[in-house]
Amino acid sequence: MRAPVLTPVGAVVRGLAAAAVGSLARNRVWFGVPSGAGVWGPGYVVLPAAGLYQPIWEYDRRTLANVLSAHLVYGLTTAAVFRALSPRRGR
């Protein structure tokens, strides 16, 4: 049940983050760090509260670190691609 729930939730959050970053005058690659963490966090706060995911305390530190680092890399990659594809204003 993990992927069917997390993929749409991540897509919605990522879309909101892209809209927020796109509205800024300057577009920086490092904006991907809080964006990635912003997708990771709800997966361990909102989804368990909704009964769709395990609570964060049921995971070991290594698993949490691996998943967080993957989200940070994803956020940075998304921000880099977004910047490369966006108009040159505010670079």
Side-chain angles (χ1 to χ4, degrees):
M1 180 163 179
R2 232 171 124 166
V5 171
L6 294 181
T7 301
V9 170
V12 168
V13 174
R14 179 68 58 212
L16 294 172
V21 170
S23 68
L24 300 174
R26 289 186 173 221
N27 182 351
R28 301 283 186 235
V29 173
W30 69 265
F31 291 171
V33 173
S35 177
V39 173
W40 176 81
Y44 293 98
V45 178
V46 175
L47 295 178
L52 299 172
Y53 207 55
Q54 296 173 322
I56 194 168
W57 56 83
E58 291 187 16
Y59 295 91
D60 60 273
R61 289 182 186 178
R62 184 177 189 152
T63 299
L64 293 173
N66 287 340
V67 174
L68 176 59
S69 62
H71 279 80
L72 296 178
V73 169
Y74 179 81
L76 286 169
T77 303
T78 302
V81 170
F82 187 77
R83 180 176 173 156
L85 297 176
S86 65
R88 294 202 170 265
R89 72 172 171 82
R91 280 185 158 201

